[in-house]
């Protein structure tokens, strides 16, 4: 059987554009020659228009969202409305809708033959990160700047997803919220997990949900790595905490481990000779500090604790100001690192 390619599938879906819209964009309704809905993820509203028949302006199935500038075809509608990550799953769903037979498998293994990744797995984390976008100009950047964080160079491990799934703990209906996606990597740079911070739609704060952060994948020993560690690096718990430290030591590599337990277990690069442990001012932070000092010393690595004046470095930055944070960190650094890492900020 000949393989049906994506463009042919999109064309076939276009012939049944209204049926596709009624099925995948059920919150919309027909308005003349268009299907009108809130957005490609099936939100209620009127900003997105799907062309239901061929016109001089374009073929049936093409759509535009006047609010966001997004546009695409009916394969995009299937992908976004169902939250599919792998394009193979999109094609399979389209064939199923059109009642077409599935294509014969390729003669050799390929990425196109991948099964859906198990929920919460490392592979699911890699796919989520892959479909997210750089943070520049997004509400992730807005959110971080609201927290006083403006030194965003080298933050390729952070990305933005406009509609990341959130499943409440009480088995309530699945929701979608904008999210900051952070790649968790091993010492070799391979993505082993991902961390999601759900945000309000305008980026002014975290989303108003019960659990605002969740991690997935293989996290133990790994971290969100920003900058390339040499003989010196800093490790701590939260992403915002560590980015706040970077405001005053912009060239020091940092590694948010995402929790006190994971901070205590973080693996050390072979080049590391001095580790700054950025503690949160709570009992869990104290325990992580003590365990990490013991492990670092056993590995021949000098461990120096950096303590905030308030609860964490981001509280210091937001409530006390950049100068106060800089002064507080300066007196805790090794003298040679003041000259090495704080010269720009001095």
């Amino acid at each position: 059987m000949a393989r049906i390619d994506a463009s042919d599938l999109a064309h076939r879906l276009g012939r049944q554009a209204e049926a596709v819209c009624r099925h995948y964009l059920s919150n919309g309704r027909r308005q003349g020659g268009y299907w009108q809905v809130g957005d490609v993820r099936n939100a209620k509203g009127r900003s997105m228009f799907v062309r239901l028949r061929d016109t001089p302006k374009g073929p049936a199935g093409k759509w535009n969202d006047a609010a966001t500038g997004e546009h695409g075809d009916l394969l995009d509608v299937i992908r976004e409305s169902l939250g599919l990550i792998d394009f193979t799953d999109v094609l399979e769903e389209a064939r199923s809708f059109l009642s077409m037979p599935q294509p014969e498998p390729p003669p050799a293994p390929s990425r196109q033959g991948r099964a859906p990744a198990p929920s919460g797995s490392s592979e699911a984390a890699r796919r989520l990160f892959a479909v997210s976008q750089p943070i520049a100009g997004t509400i992730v950047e807005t959110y971080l700047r609201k927290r006083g964080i403006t030194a965003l160079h080298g933050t390729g491990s952070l990305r933005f997803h406009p509609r990341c799934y959130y499943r409440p703990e009480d088995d309530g209906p699945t929701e979608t919220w904008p999210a900051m996606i952070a790649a968790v990597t091993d010492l070799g740079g391979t993505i082993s997990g991902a961390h999601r911070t759900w945000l309000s739609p305008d980026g002014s704060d975290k989303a108003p949900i019960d659990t605002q952060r969740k991690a997935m994948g293989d996290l133990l020993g790994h971290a969100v790595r920003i900058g390339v560690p040499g003989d010196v690096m800093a490790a701590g718990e939260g992403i915002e905490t560590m980015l706040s430290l970077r405001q005053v030591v912009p060239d020091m590599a940092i590694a948010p481990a995402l929790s006190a337990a994971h901070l205590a277990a973080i693996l050390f690069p072979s080049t590391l000779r001095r580790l700054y442990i950025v503690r949160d001012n709570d009992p869990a932070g104290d325990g992580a500090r003590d365990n990490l000092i013991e492990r670092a010393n056993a590995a021949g690595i000098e461990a120096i604790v950096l303590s905030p004046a308030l609860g964490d470095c981001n509280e210091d930055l937001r409530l006390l100001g950049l100068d106060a944070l800089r002064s507080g960190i300066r007196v805790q650094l090794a003298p040679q690192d003041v000259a090495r890492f704080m010269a720009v900020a001095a």
Side-chain angles (χ1 to χ4, degrees):
M1 180 185 66
R3 186 175 180 85
I4 305 297
D5 64 20
S7 60
D8 193 14
L9 276 174
H11 180 70
R12 292 175 184 232
L13 289 168
R15 295 177 190 166
Q16 302 183 40
E18 184 169 346
V20 173
C21 290
R22 290 188 181 279
H23 185 75
Y24 296 102
L25 299 176
S26 56
N27 285 325
R29 60 178 181 174
R30 179 166 185 158
Q31 293 286 342
Y34 293 87
W35 189 264
Q36 189 175 24
V37 71
D39 61 27
V40 70
R41 292 102 191 166
N42 196 27
K44 294 180 179 180
R46 298 181 295 175
S47 67
M48 175 178 158
F49 293 84
V50 185
R51 193 176 294 113
L52 298 181
R53 56 176 178 263
D54 294 339
T55 73
K57 294 183 178 180
K62 292 292 185 179
W63 57 270
N64 287 275
D65 190 324
T68 65
E70 292 177 286
H71 58 88
D73 59 25
L74 292 175
L75 288 173
D76 297 314
V77 166
I78 291 174
R79 182 190 67 220
E80 296 294 337
S81 65
L82 296 181
L84 300 175
I85 294 176
D86 195 296
F87 193 60
T88 300
D89 298 336
V90 178
L91 299 183
E92 289 177 357
E93 175 67 23
R95 291 188 182 95
S96 177
F97 180 85
L98 294 167
S99 299
M100 293 172 57
Q102 297 297 309
E104 295 176 358
S110 73
R111 290 176 60 86
Q112 292 180 336
R114 292 185 304 179
S119 177
S121 66
S122 294
E123 179 60 22
R126 285 188 282 270
R127 296 185 191 186
L128 174 62
F129 189 74
V131 299
S132 301
Q133 65 190 73
I135 66 172
T138 71
I139 64 171
V140 170
E141 187 174 54
T142 302
Y143 165 72
L144 293 174
R145 291 183 183 277
K146 288 278 188 181
R147 300 184 72 90
I149 299 166
T150 58
L152 298 177
H153 57 287
T155 50
S157 57
L158 303 180
R159 288 192 178 178
F160 168 63
H161 195 295
R163 297 182 64 86
C164 185
Y165 286 119
Y166 169 73
R167 294 177 176 85
E169 301 292 344
D170 61 0
D171 296 326
T174 298
E175 305 170 16
T176 57
W177 292 90
M180 176 171 67
I181 309 298
V184 177
T185 62
D186 62 18
L187 291 176
T190 299
I191 296 177
S192 63
H195 183 266
R196 297 153 290 176
T197 303
W198 284 278
L199 306 175
S200 62
D202 62 359
S204 61
D205 204 346
K206 297 183 187 71
I209 53 180
D210 290 338
T211 305
Q212 297 169 318
R213 309 174 188 218
K214 285 186 181 180
M216 60 194 294
D218 181 10
L219 308 179
L220 189 63
H222 309 319
V224 179
R225 303 184 188 277
I226 299 173
V228 179
D231 58 338
V232 177
M233 65 172 279
E237 294 184 37
I239 295 170
E240 298 90 337
T241 291
M242 297 306 294
L243 288 175
S244 298
L245 173 69
R246 203 163 178 249
Q247 290 291 118
V248 298
V249 284
D251 296 324
M252 185 182 291
I254 61 172
L258 305 176
S259 73
H262 289 107
L263 175 60
I266 194 170
L267 297 177
F268 307 131
S270 60
T271 58
L272 190 62
R273 297 296 175 266
R274 182 159 50 254
L275 173 67
Y276 287 102
I277 302 170
V278 185
R279 60 179 287 269
D280 284 1
N281 198 3
D282 55 32
D286 291 340
R289 172 201 62 195
D290 295 342
N291 289 334
L292 197 49
I293 289 174
E294 183 177 349
R295 289 184 54 238
N297 290 339
I301 297 169
E302 179 186 11
I304 298 177
V305 176
L306 300 181
S307 296
L310 302 175
D312 57 46
C313 285
N314 190 244
E315 282 193 24
D316 286 7
L317 177 61
R318 290 185 294 112
L319 302 179
L320 302 180
L322 180 60
D323 289 341
L325 175 62
R326 181 180 294 127
S327 298
I329 294 300
R330 177 189 291 272
V331 298
Q332 300 180 73
L333 293 179
Q336 59 269 42
D337 289 337
V338 173
R340 180 178 176 185
F341 293 109
M342 298 194 77
V344 174

